[in-house]
Amino acid sequence: MSSVVQDAQKAGQRVGLKSDKIVINGGKPLRGRIEIRGAKNLATKAMVAALLGDTPSLLKDVPDISDVGVVTGMLNAYGVSVTEIAPGELLLDPSNVLKAHFAEIDALAGSSRIPILFCGPLLHRLGEALIPDLGGCRIGDRPIDFHLDALRAFGAIVDKSYEGIRLTAPNGLKGAQIELPYPSVGATEQVLLTAVRAEGVTELKNAAIEPEIMDLIAILQKMGAIINVEPNRVIFIEGVDSLDGYEHRALFDRNEAASWASAALATEGDIFVGGAKQQELMTFLNIFRKVGGAFDIHEDGIRFYHPGGTLKPVVVETDVHPGFMTDWQQPLIVALTKAEGVSIVHETVYENRFGFTDALIAMGANIVVHKDGLAGYDRRVARREFEQAAVITGPTPLHGADVVVPDLRGGFSHLIAALTAEGRSTISNVGIISRGYEHFIDKLALLGADFIYEG
Ligand code: EPU
């Protein structure tokens, strides 16, 4: 592993510090081939699932990102040994699960939201769970009410204290009837990870059905769980007494794939994303094509490129699967600053996910964020009164600027913007990007970007 990448990872552990930065000389198309591995939003959950097994689990294609480091630290604190037996292959052994000291968990959990998913497995294994304040990207309130309501439905007792949330289950966990107010990814995972070993049958309505959830269900089935995915977002889980370990190759990271695709388009480049697959990206590919991007599907990946000509504006709403993912809009918006005409992106998943556009505006983009959405706009998904819409009018050439990364996906869009911009940009707080983009510094170098990384 290169020292540059080790530095980037160290930086990732220091999320929140603004000392790490990258200086980019923009204007060069990104060209070349990069490889992507397992999805951040699956691998981390799969690692938590290993806590439920009576025997060790083997997870393959685990990305080298700091969120995996956070979950490794937490598993270690609970007595689960995590050993990298080959590059990207983690052996997770839960045979010595023990109670961790709260201070230890608190120190480790600070920069991630995954700890909330430890609740069910810990209640099954130890009879109690202590969850500190959660980190993760600052992209709205990101409450955990769906999680706690679901855990209560299983029979958990939730006590909130100044240190965090303490959960106990004096009478064990029992299967439950749960209907989520919204198909939340995390809350669906919470229910799955809890119901598989709860006594009796759980019926989950309005479940999330993202590919990462389906991959988690596949893992749980390998472990011995009985889970039926029914039509209309209904999932039945029949609890079992015990689960074994699993062996599994993680689903590829479709968010990373879509990010590099947008980078190819925005920089007028040509990137082969090794490991990307068509099925999980279909909705993205449609929009990519409508904007004017081209792609070739290969067995071992997808080539994304700018075929020449002008880019076209689009109207997009982010949504739950199979809709256009909220994590895809930030890199795409950079490409939309190059499209001829007015594009509209409505964010319906999070209430505060356009903060990153301030930096794009500072770089010369014409973006107006409507904090309450667009009045009278015929919405396909009318979810909340506080939905936001970004109106992007292009084309606007971007120029270099000094910007600070606010969150993971926004940060990646800043990188792309700087790569397309005329002149020099300094982007601070880039360590946050290593939470979800494996070896992104190395990949930028591989694709011919002109930059200096100062860890
Ligand atoms: N929500 C609640 N209450 C809850 C849980 C969620 O109101 O108890 C709301 C959230 O505030 C949000 C919406 O429901 O407005 C959707 O949240 P969801 O639970 O689906 O998201 P999540 O599980 O916290 C995961 C990914 C996100 C991704 C979303 C949507 C992980 C670790 N994170 O978050 O990924 O955007 O699903 O697909 O899996 C990222 O990778 O950068 C990222 C933020």
Side-chain angles (χ1 to χ4, degrees):
M1 192 190 296
S2 75
S3 61
V4 139
V5 174
Q6 281 169 335
D7 284 348
Q9 282 159 356
K10 272 189 234 141
Q13 310 290 354
R14 301 194 309 260
V15 167
L17 297 185
K18 296 190 173 53
S19 56
D20 49 314
K21 61 181 181 186
I22 184 169
V23 179
I24 294 180
N25 289 310
K28 266 184 88 181
L30 295 186
R31 291 183 196 283
R33 175 175 176 140
I34 50 153
E35 304 298 323
I36 54 172
R37 288 201 284 181
K40 161 176 96 68
N41 292 347
L42 178 273
T44 45
K45 327 299 174 61
M47 292 173 72
V48 179
L51 193 49
L52 287 163
D54 292 337
T55 52
S57 292
L58 178 61
L59 184 61
K60 300 177 183 172
D61 263 356
V62 182
D64 196 3
I65 53 176
S66 56
D67 265 17
V68 165
V70 169
V71 181
T72 299
M74 285 207 61
L75 286 169
N76 286 161
Y78 285 112
V80 179
S81 72
V82 181
T83 317
E84 187 166 21
I85 57 168
E89 294 195 8
L90 296 187
L91 185 68
L92 304 117
D93 186 351
S95 37
N96 291 311
V97 171
L98 43 87
K99 289 185 187 178
H101 291 294
F102 182 74
E104 205 175 340
I105 313 166
D106 199 24
L108 289 163
S111 61
S112 171
R113 270 176 74 78
I114 313 292
I116 186 75
L117 295 179
F118 277 74
C119 290
L122 286 178
L123 283 170
H124 286 303
R125 295 296 304 254
L126 302 172
E128 70 169 335
L130 195 51
I131 304 301
D133 269 351
L134 296 171
C137 288
R138 303 282 167 239
I139 50 178
D141 278 351
R142 303 195 74 179
I144 53 168
D145 50 338
F146 304 165
H147 295 252
L148 297 184
D149 288 348
L151 288 161
R152 284 191 191 99
F154 283 110
I157 295 171
V158 180
D159 292 311
K160 293 186 188 169
S161 73
Y162 68 95
E163 358 169 69
I165 300 162
R166 180 179 293 278
L167 296 108
T168 48
N171 301 316
L173 296 172
K174 309 261 183 329
Q177 301 263 328
I178 297 166
E179 178 161 4
L180 295 178
Y182 179 77
S184 149
V185 169
T188 299
E189 292 160 344
Q190 180 75 261
V191 171
L192 290 169
L193 291 167
T194 308
V196 282
R197 281 202 48 202
E199 191 189 321
V201 178
T202 295
E203 180 183 6
L204 174 64
K205 290 186 180 160
N206 208 20
I209 51 165
E210 267 64 8
E212 292 79 13
I213 302 254
M214 293 303 142
D215 212 31
L216 181 63
I217 290 175
I219 289 170
L220 292 168
Q221 188 180 50
K222 283 178 175 173
M223 298 175 80
I226 300 171
I227 301 172
N228 282 300
V229 181
E230 309 272 330
N232 300 324
R233 297 189 175 277
V234 176
I235 302 179
F236 282 97
I237 305 115
E238 297 176 36
V240 294
D241 289 340
S242 66
L243 293 167
D244 289 323
Y246 63 82
E247 184 174 330
H248 192 78
R249 186 172 296 282
L251 175 76
F252 79 100
D253 198 313
R254 63 200 175 113
N255 292 341
E256 188 183 357
S259 300
W260 288 112
S262 293
L265 191 59
T267 63
E268 301 189 14
D270 188 335
I271 303 180
F272 190 100
V273 181
K277 296 197 174 74
Q278 178 183 15
Q279 288 272 327
E280 291 79 7
L281 284 169
M282 279 190 165
T283 308
F284 176 81
L285 293 172
N286 286 334
I287 296 293
F288 189 78
R289 179 171 275 161
K290 279 165 98 169
V291 176
F295 55 86
D296 303 331
I297 314 278
H298 295 259
E299 264 189 19
D300 58 341
I302 304 180
R303 174 189 171 208
F304 296 96
Y305 57 103
H306 189 308
T310 54
L311 297 186
K312 295 175 280 274
V314 285
V315 177
V316 186
E317 274 179 41
T318 67
D319 207 344
V320 293
H321 188 74
F324 190 91
M325 280 202 82
T326 166
D327 305 285
W328 297 339
Q329 52 97 343
Q330 306 80 352
L332 182 78
I333 282 180
V334 182
L336 293 178
T337 67
K338 317 242 162 247
E340 265 188 24
V342 179
S343 297
I344 304 174
V345 177
H346 247 106
E347 171 59 52
T348 80
V349 179
Y350 289 108
E351 63 270 49
N352 182 19
R353 224 178 179 185
F354 283 134
F356 72 96
T357 58
D358 288 347
L360 303 189
I361 293 165
M363 296 170 99
N366 180 347
I367 302 175
V368 179
V369 174
H370 297 260
K371 293 217 176 305
D372 302 313
L374 287 178
Y377 185 78
D378 187 14
R379 305 299 322 289
R380 191 168 59 82
V381 185
R383 185 180 159 217
R384 295 172 167 179
E385 66 274 14
F386 50 75
E387 282 171 358
Q388 295 178 298
V391 177
I392 306 110
T393 306
T396 47
L398 301 184
H399 53 76
D402 290 355
V403 300
V404 180
V405 167
D407 64 67
L408 177 61
R409 307 293 168 198
F412 197 83
S413 85
H414 292 167
L415 282 185
I416 304 176
L419 289 161
T420 70
E422 171 123 5
R424 171 177 293 233
S425 299
T426 302
I427 307 181
S428 311
N429 203 27
V430 286
I432 216 169
I433 298 173
S434 59
R435 280 193 47 214
Y437 290 90
E438 184 182 45
H439 304 172
F440 73 96
I441 298 284
D442 279 357
K443 288 177 185 172
L444 285 175
L446 214 56
L447 295 170
D450 181 359
F451 69 93
I452 299 166
Y453 174 65
E454 297 171 17

mmCIF file of all heavy atoms in Angstrom, residues 23-63:
data_model
loop_
_atom_site.group_PDB
_atom_site.id
_atom_site.type_symbol
_atom_site.label_atom_id
_atom_site.label_comp_id
_atom_site.label_asym_id
_atom_site.label_seq_id
_atom_site.Cartn_x
_atom_site.Cartn_y
_atom_site.Cartn_z
ATOM 1 N N VAL A 23 -4.260 20.035 -3.740
ATOM 2 C CA VAL A 23 -4.213 21.190 -4.642
ATOM 3 C C VAL A 23 -4.311 20.635 -6.064
ATOM 4 O O VAL A 23 -3.501 19.779 -6.461
ATOM 5 C CB VAL A 23 -2.903 21.989 -4.467
ATOM 6 C CG1 VAL A 23 -2.869 23.174 -5.432
ATOM 7 C CG2 VAL A 23 -2.766 22.456 -3.021
ATOM 8 N N ILE A 24 -5.325 21.072 -6.800
ATOM 9 C CA ILE A 24 -5.602 20.497 -8.128
ATOM 10 C C ILE A 24 -5.443 21.562 -9.204
ATOM 11 O O ILE A 24 -5.966 22.676 -9.072
ATOM 12 C CB ILE A 24 -7.036 19.927 -8.175
ATOM 13 C CG1 ILE A 24 -7.153 18.735 -7.215
ATOM 14 C CG2 ILE A 24 -7.430 19.522 -9.594
ATOM 15 C CD1 ILE A 24 -8.518 18.084 -7.171
ATOM 16 N N ASN A 25 -4.704 21.216 -10.254
ATOM 17 C CA ASN A 25 -4.668 22.064 -11.452
ATOM 18 C C ASN A 25 -5.655 21.471 -12.441
ATOM 19 O O ASN A 25 -5.442 20.372 -12.958
ATOM 20 C CB ASN A 25 -3.259 22.079 -12.067
ATOM 21 C CG ASN A 25 -2.303 22.863 -11.191
ATOM 22 O OD1 ASN A 25 -2.601 23.994 -10.787
ATOM 23 N ND2 ASN A 25 -1.184 22.258 -10.852
ATOM 24 N N GLY A 26 -6.757 22.167 -12.653
ATOM 25 C CA GLY A 26 -7.859 21.597 -13.434
ATOM 26 C C GLY A 26 -7.648 21.681 -14.928
ATOM 27 O O GLY A 26 -6.637 22.207 -15.419
ATOM 28 N N GLY A 27 -8.644 21.134 -15.647
ATOM 29 C CA GLY A 27 -8.664 21.269 -17.100
ATOM 30 C C GLY A 27 -8.167 20.065 -17.864
ATOM 31 O O GLY A 27 -8.170 20.062 -19.087
ATOM 32 N N LYS A 28 -7.745 19.011 -17.137
ATOM 33 C CA LYS A 28 -7.258 17.814 -17.840
ATOM 34 C C LYS A 28 -8.310 16.711 -17.772
ATOM 35 O O LYS A 28 -8.789 16.380 -16.689
ATOM 36 C CB LYS A 28 -5.994 17.282 -17.131
ATOM 37 C CG LYS A 28 -4.698 17.802 -17.712
ATOM 38 C CD LYS A 28 -3.529 17.150 -17.005
ATOM 39 C CE LYS A 28 -3.128 15.834 -17.648
ATOM 40 N NZ LYS A 28 -2.006 15.193 -16.934
ATOM 41 N N PRO A 29 -8.678 16.121 -18.902
ATOM 42 C CA PRO A 29 -9.646 15.014 -18.843
ATOM 43 C C PRO A 29 -9.081 13.831 -18.061
ATOM 44 O O PRO A 29 -7.880 13.557 -18.144
ATOM 45 C CB PRO A 29 -9.834 14.618 -20.315
ATOM 46 C CG PRO A 29 -9.199 15.686 -21.123
ATOM 47 C CD PRO A 29 -8.212 16.404 -20.265
ATOM 48 N N LEU A 30 -9.911 13.149 -17.313
ATOM 49 C CA LEU A 30 -9.468 11.931 -16.628
ATOM 50 C C LEU A 30 -9.592 10.764 -17.598
ATOM 51 O O LEU A 30 -10.651 10.554 -18.194
ATOM 52 C CB LEU A 30 -10.337 11.656 -15.395
ATOM 53 C CG LEU A 30 -10.276 12.655 -14.246
ATOM 54 C CD1 LEU A 30 -11.094 12.144 -13.058
ATOM 55 C CD2 LEU A 30 -8.835 12.908 -13.804
ATOM 56 N N ARG A 31 -8.521 10.032 -17.756
ATOM 57 C CA ARG A 31 -8.534 8.888 -18.688
ATOM 58 C C ARG A 31 -7.789 7.719 -18.079
ATOM 59 O O ARG A 31 -6.716 7.904 -17.504
ATOM 60 C CB ARG A 31 -7.801 9.245 -19.985
ATOM 61 C CG ARG A 31 -8.514 10.251 -20.839
ATOM 62 C CD ARG A 31 -7.730 10.470 -22.144
ATOM 63 N NE ARG A 31 -8.177 11.688 -22.787
ATOM 64 C CZ ARG A 31 -9.305 11.791 -23.475
ATOM 65 N NH1 ARG A 31 -10.084 10.742 -23.608
ATOM 66 N NH2 ARG A 31 -9.644 12.935 -24.024
ATOM 67 N N GLY A 32 -8.362 6.521 -18.255
ATOM 68 C CA GLY A 32 -7.666 5.322 -17.792
ATOM 69 C C GLY A 32 -8.625 4.332 -17.168
ATOM 70 O O GLY A 32 -9.845 4.458 -17.306
ATOM 71 N N ARG A 33 -8.044 3.371 -16.480
ATOM 72 C CA ARG A 33 -8.854 2.309 -15.871
ATOM 73 C C ARG A 33 -8.607 2.272 -14.365
ATOM 74 O O ARG A 33 -7.458 2.325 -13.919
ATOM 75 C CB ARG A 33 -8.495 0.952 -16.491
ATOM 76 C CG ARG A 33 -9.211 -0.192 -15.806
ATOM 77 C CD ARG A 33 -8.988 -1.542 -16.461
ATOM 78 N NE ARG A 33 -9.662 -2.549 -15.643
ATOM 79 C CZ ARG A 33 -10.358 -3.586 -16.105
ATOM 80 N NH1 ARG A 33 -10.454 -3.779 -17.396
ATOM 81 N NH2 ARG A 33 -10.945 -4.433 -15.279
ATOM 82 N N ILE A 34 -9.672 2.171 -13.620
ATOM 83 C CA ILE A 34 -9.571 1.987 -12.174
ATOM 84 C C ILE A 34 -10.438 0.795 -11.772
ATOM 85 O O ILE A 34 -11.337 0.421 -12.513
ATOM 86 C CB ILE A 34 -10.031 3.246 -11.396
ATOM 87 C CG1 ILE A 34 -11.399 3.702 -11.914
ATOM 88 C CG2 ILE A 34 -9.010 4.364 -11.471
ATOM 89 C CD1 ILE A 34 -12.188 4.439 -10.909
ATOM 90 N N GLU A 35 -10.164 0.256 -10.599
ATOM 91 C CA GLU A 35 -10.954 -0.879 -10.107
ATOM 92 C C GLU A 35 -11.738 -0.436 -8.882
ATOM 93 O O GLU A 35 -11.224 0.324 -8.061
ATOM 94 C CB GLU A 35 -10.030 -2.037 -9.693
ATOM 95 C CG GLU A 35 -9.086 -2.518 -10.773
ATOM 96 C CD GLU A 35 -9.804 -3.069 -11.996
ATOM 97 O OE1 GLU A 35 -10.858 -3.714 -11.829
ATOM 98 O OE2 GLU A 35 -9.303 -2.839 -13.124
ATOM 99 N N ILE A 36 -12.956 -0.923 -8.788
ATOM 100 C CA ILE A 36 -13.687 -0.672 -7.549
ATOM 101 C C ILE A 36 -13.996 -2.002 -6.871
ATOM 102 O O ILE A 36 -14.086 -3.028 -7.530
ATOM 103 C CB ILE A 36 -14.985 0.140 -7.770
ATOM 104 C CG1 ILE A 36 -15.873 -0.524 -8.804
ATOM 105 C CG2 ILE A 36 -14.661 1.562 -8.162
ATOM 106 C CD1 ILE A 36 -17.223 0.144 -8.893
ATOM 107 N N ARG A 37 -14.143 -1.943 -5.558
ATOM 108 C CA ARG A 37 -14.419 -3.180 -4.819
ATOM 109 C C ARG A 37 -15.776 -3.078 -4.119
ATOM 110 O O ARG A 37 -16.659 -2.355 -4.553
ATOM 111 C CB ARG A 37 -13.276 -3.456 -3.847
ATOM 112 C CG ARG A 37 -12.037 -3.890 -4.607
ATOM 113 C CD ARG A 37 -11.068 -4.629 -3.742
ATOM 114 N NE ARG A 37 -10.337 -3.717 -2.874
ATOM 115 C CZ ARG A 37 -9.407 -4.101 -2.028
ATOM 116 N NH1 ARG A 37 -9.094 -5.375 -1.937
ATOM 117 N NH2 ARG A 37 -8.765 -3.228 -1.276
ATOM 118 N N GLY A 38 -15.900 -3.811 -3.029
ATOM 119 C CA GLY A 38 -17.202 -3.927 -2.366
ATOM 120 C C GLY A 38 -17.763 -2.591 -1.904
ATOM 121 O O GLY A 38 -17.035 -1.644 -1.615
ATOM 122 N N ALA A 39 -19.085 -2.535 -1.819
ATOM 123 C CA ALA A 39 -19.777 -1.304 -1.446
ATOM 124 C C ALA A 39 -19.570 -0.983 0.032
ATOM 125 O O ALA A 39 -19.740 -1.848 0.886
ATOM 126 C CB ALA A 39 -21.274 -1.467 -1.716
ATOM 127 N N LYS A 40 -19.235 0.272 0.285
ATOM 128 C CA LYS A 40 -19.163 0.747 1.672
ATOM 129 C C LYS A 40 -20.463 0.399 2.403
ATOM 130 O O LYS A 40 -20.439 -0.067 3.539
ATOM 131 C CB LYS A 40 -18.960 2.270 1.687
ATOM 132 C CG LYS A 40 -19.320 2.943 2.997
ATOM 133 C CD LYS A 40 -19.003 4.418 2.979
ATOM 134 C CE LYS A 40 -20.152 5.339 2.623
ATOM 135 N NZ LYS A 40 -21.247 5.428 3.596
ATOM 136 N N ASN A 41 -21.592 0.640 1.716
ATOM 137 C CA ASN A 41 -22.884 0.502 2.391
ATOM 138 C C ASN A 41 -23.383 -0.943 2.466
ATOM 139 O O ASN A 41 -24.484 -1.180 2.944
ATOM 140 C CB ASN A 41 -23.920 1.424 1.729
ATOM 141 C CG ASN A 41 -23.570 2.895 1.986
ATOM 142 O OD1 ASN A 41 -22.719 3.187 2.828
ATOM 143 N ND2 ASN A 41 -24.198 3.798 1.269
ATOM 144 N N LEU A 42 -22.556 -1.868 2.009
ATOM 145 C CA LEU A 42 -22.840 -3.295 2.266
ATOM 146 C C LEU A 42 -21.770 -3.882 3.179
ATOM 147 O O LEU A 42 -22.085 -4.512 4.199
ATOM 148 C CB LEU A 42 -22.904 -4.069 0.940
ATOM 149 C CG LEU A 42 -23.135 -5.585 1.007
ATOM 150 C CD1 LEU A 42 -21.913 -6.424 1.154
ATOM 151 C CD2 LEU A 42 -24.192 -5.974 2.042
ATOM 152 N N ALA A 43 -20.498 -3.628 2.841
ATOM 153 C CA ALA A 43 -19.412 -4.299 3.564
ATOM 154 C C ALA A 43 -19.486 -4.024 5.069
ATOM 155 O O ALA A 43 -19.325 -4.938 5.892
ATOM 156 C CB ALA A 43 -18.066 -3.861 3.001
ATOM 157 N N THR A 44 -19.771 -2.769 5.411
ATOM 158 C CA THR A 44 -19.803 -2.422 6.836
ATOM 159 C C THR A 44 -20.939 -3.169 7.552
ATOM 160 O O THR A 44 -20.776 -3.612 8.696
ATOM 161 C CB THR A 44 -19.966 -0.901 6.998
ATOM 162 O OG1 THR A 44 -20.983 -0.452 6.090
ATOM 163 C CG2 THR A 44 -18.679 -0.164 6.698
ATOM 164 N N LYS A 45 -22.078 -3.327 6.884
ATOM 165 C CA LYS A 45 -23.219 -4.035 7.494
ATOM 166 C C LYS A 45 -22.931 -5.538 7.563
ATOM 167 O O LYS A 45 -23.320 -6.211 8.519
ATOM 168 C CB LYS A 45 -24.516 -3.821 6.709
ATOM 169 C CG LYS A 45 -24.708 -2.478 6.023
ATOM 170 C CD LYS A 45 -24.728 -1.305 6.932
ATOM 171 C CE LYS A 45 -24.776 0.036 6.224
ATOM 172 N NZ LYS A 45 -25.885 0.334 5.375
ATOM 173 N N ALA A 46 -22.269 -6.049 6.516
ATOM 174 C CA ALA A 46 -21.916 -7.476 6.505
ATOM 175 C C ALA A 46 -20.989 -7.781 7.682
ATOM 176 O O ALA A 46 -21.058 -8.857 8.283
ATOM 177 C CB ALA A 46 -21.249 -7.830 5.188
ATOM 178 N N MET A 47 -20.116 -6.832 7.997
ATOM 179 C CA MET A 47 -19.199 -7.035 9.125
ATOM 180 C C MET A 47 -19.988 -7.129 10.436
ATOM 181 O O MET A 47 -19.688 -7.936 11.311
ATOM 182 C CB MET A 47 -18.170 -5.896 9.180
ATOM 183 C CG MET A 47 -17.200 -5.921 8.006
ATOM 184 S SD MET A 47 -16.137 -4.465 7.960
ATOM 185 C CE MET A 47 -15.048 -4.778 9.357
ATOM 186 N N VAL A 48 -21.025 -6.282 10.565
ATOM 187 C CA VAL A 48 -21.855 -6.337 11.776
ATOM 188 C C VAL A 48 -22.584 -7.684 11.839
ATOM 189 O O VAL A 48 -22.701 -8.298 12.900
ATOM 190 C CB VAL A 48 -22.872 -5.169 11.802
ATOM 191 C CG1 VAL A 48 -23.748 -5.251 13.050
ATOM 192 C CG2 VAL A 48 -22.156 -3.817 11.746
ATOM 193 N N ALA A 49 -23.043 -8.166 10.674
ATOM 194 C CA ALA A 49 -23.781 -9.440 10.641
ATOM 195 C C ALA A 49 -22.930 -10.583 11.190
ATOM 196 O O ALA A 49 -23.463 -11.524 11.785
ATOM 197 C CB ALA A 49 -24.234 -9.751 9.209
ATOM 198 N N ALA A 50 -21.613 -10.490 11.001
ATOM 199 C CA ALA A 50 -20.729 -11.575 11.481
ATOM 200 C C ALA A 50 -20.859 -11.777 12.986
ATOM 201 O O ALA A 50 -20.610 -12.864 13.505
ATOM 202 C CB ALA A 50 -19.282 -11.260 11.114
ATOM 203 N N LEU A 51 -21.265 -10.724 13.683
ATOM 204 C CA LEU A 51 -21.452 -10.784 15.142
ATOM 205 C C LEU A 51 -22.556 -11.777 15.521
ATOM 206 O O LEU A 51 -22.598 -12.280 16.642
ATOM 207 C CB LEU A 51 -21.817 -9.361 15.603
ATOM 208 C CG LEU A 51 -21.816 -8.923 17.041
ATOM 209 C CD1 LEU A 51 -20.543 -9.315 17.762
ATOM 210 C CD2 LEU A 51 -21.996 -7.403 17.092
ATOM 211 N N LEU A 52 -23.460 -12.044 14.568
ATOM 212 C CA LEU A 52 -24.588 -12.942 14.846
ATOM 213 C C LEU A 52 -24.224 -14.417 14.719
ATOM 214 O O LEU A 52 -24.975 -15.286 15.146
ATOM 215 C CB LEU A 52 -25.735 -12.655 13.862
ATOM 216 C CG LEU A 52 -26.536 -11.372 14.061
ATOM 217 C CD1 LEU A 52 -27.317 -11.042 12.793
ATOM 218 C CD2 LEU A 52 -27.479 -11.523 15.245
ATOM 219 N N GLY A 53 -23.080 -14.704 14.081
ATOM 220 C CA GLY A 53 -22.738 -16.101 13.801
ATOM 221 C C GLY A 53 -22.051 -16.774 14.984
ATOM 222 O O GLY A 53 -21.400 -16.129 15.795
ATOM 223 N N ASP A 54 -22.215 -18.115 15.047
ATOM 224 C CA ASP A 54 -21.499 -18.876 16.076
ATOM 225 C C ASP A 54 -20.114 -19.279 15.587
ATOM 226 O O ASP A 54 -19.279 -19.727 16.369
ATOM 227 C CB ASP A 54 -22.289 -20.140 16.444
ATOM 228 C CG ASP A 54 -23.576 -19.784 17.167
ATOM 229 O OD1 ASP A 54 -23.634 -18.674 17.749
ATOM 230 O OD2 ASP A 54 -24.525 -20.587 17.135
ATOM 231 N N THR A 55 -19.907 -19.180 14.287
ATOM 232 C CA THR A 55 -18.602 -19.544 13.707
ATOM 233 C C THR A 55 -18.075 -18.356 12.887
ATOM 234 O O THR A 55 -18.834 -17.424 12.581
ATOM 235 C CB THR A 55 -18.761 -20.779 12.792
ATOM 236 O OG1 THR A 55 -19.819 -20.502 11.854
ATOM 237 C CG2 THR A 55 -19.093 -22.021 13.587
ATOM 238 N N PRO A 56 -16.787 -18.353 12.505
ATOM 239 C CA PRO A 56 -16.211 -17.205 11.799
ATOM 240 C C PRO A 56 -16.825 -16.989 10.413
ATOM 241 O O PRO A 56 -17.326 -17.915 9.786
ATOM 242 C CB PRO A 56 -14.728 -17.576 11.669
ATOM 243 C CG PRO A 56 -14.488 -18.595 12.723
ATOM 244 C CD PRO A 56 -15.772 -19.356 12.866
ATOM 245 N N SER A 57 -16.754 -15.738 9.957
ATOM 246 C CA SER A 57 -17.229 -15.362 8.626
ATOM 247 C C SER A 57 -16.060 -14.867 7.789
ATOM 248 O O SER A 57 -15.080 -14.334 8.328
ATOM 249 C CB SER A 57 -18.257 -14.230 8.733
ATOM 250 O OG SER A 57 -19.436 -14.685 9.349
ATOM 251 N N LEU A 58 -16.206 -15.040 6.474
ATOM 252 C CA LEU A 58 -15.172 -14.545 5.559
ATOM 253 C C LEU A 58 -15.826 -13.605 4.553
ATOM 254 O O LEU A 58 -16.702 -14.008 3.795
ATOM 255 C CB LEU A 58 -14.515 -15.723 4.821
ATOM 256 C CG LEU A 58 -13.446 -15.342 3.795
ATOM 257 C CD1 LEU A 58 -12.280 -14.604 4.439
ATOM 258 C CD2 LEU A 58 -12.935 -16.601 3.077
ATOM 259 N N LEU A 59 -15.402 -12.349 4.592
ATOM 260 C CA LEU A 59 -15.965 -11.345 3.679
ATOM 261 C C LEU A 59 -14.891 -10.934 2.684
ATOM 262 O O LEU A 59 -13.780 -10.549 3.071
ATOM 263 C CB LEU A 59 -16.455 -10.124 4.486
ATOM 264 C CG LEU A 59 -17.147 -9.033 3.682
ATOM 265 C CD1 LEU A 59 -18.405 -9.544 2.985
ATOM 266 C CD2 LEU A 59 -17.516 -7.848 4.589
ATOM 267 N N LYS A 60 -15.240 -11.013 1.377
ATOM 268 C CA LYS A 60 -14.263 -10.700 0.325
ATOM 269 C C LYS A 60 -14.602 -9.392 -0.361
ATOM 270 O O LYS A 60 -15.760 -8.978 -0.380
ATOM 271 C CB LYS A 60 -14.259 -11.835 -0.707
ATOM 272 C CG LYS A 60 -13.877 -13.170 -0.110
ATOM 273 C CD LYS A 60 -13.968 -14.249 -1.164
ATOM 274 C CE LYS A 60 -13.643 -15.595 -0.531
ATOM 275 N NZ LYS A 60 -13.887 -16.691 -1.441
ATOM 276 N N ASP A 61 -13.599 -8.803 -0.982
ATOM 277 C CA ASP A 61 -13.754 -7.527 -1.700
ATOM 278 C C ASP A 61 -14.091 -6.375 -0.763
ATOM 279 O O ASP A 61 -14.824 -5.457 -1.126
ATOM 280 C CB ASP A 61 -14.834 -7.632 -2.791
ATOM 281 C CG ASP A 61 -14.210 -7.907 -4.145
ATOM 282 O OD1 ASP A 61 -12.966 -7.933 -4.222
ATOM 283 O OD2 ASP A 61 -14.949 -8.083 -5.117
ATOM 284 N N VAL A 62 -13.563 -6.433 0.443
ATOM 285 C CA VAL A 62 -13.813 -5.358 1.409
ATOM 286 C C VAL A 62 -12.972 -4.143 1.000
ATOM 287 O O VAL A 62 -11.759 -4.267 0.818
ATOM 288 C CB VAL A 62 -13.425 -5.799 2.835
ATOM 289 C CG1 VAL A 62 -13.732 -4.692 3.836
ATOM 290 C CG2 VAL A 62 -14.134 -7.089 3.205
ATOM 291 N N PRO A 63 -13.594 -2.987 0.831
ATOM 292 C CA PRO A 63 -12.817 -1.819 0.405
ATOM 293 C C PRO A 63 -11.928 -1.288 1.534
ATOM 294 O O PRO A 63 -12.268 -1.418 2.708
ATOM 295 C CB PRO A 63 -13.896 -0.795 0.030
ATOM 296 C CG PRO A 63 -15.078 -1.172 0.860
ATOM 297 C CD PRO A 63 -15.015 -2.665 1.034
#
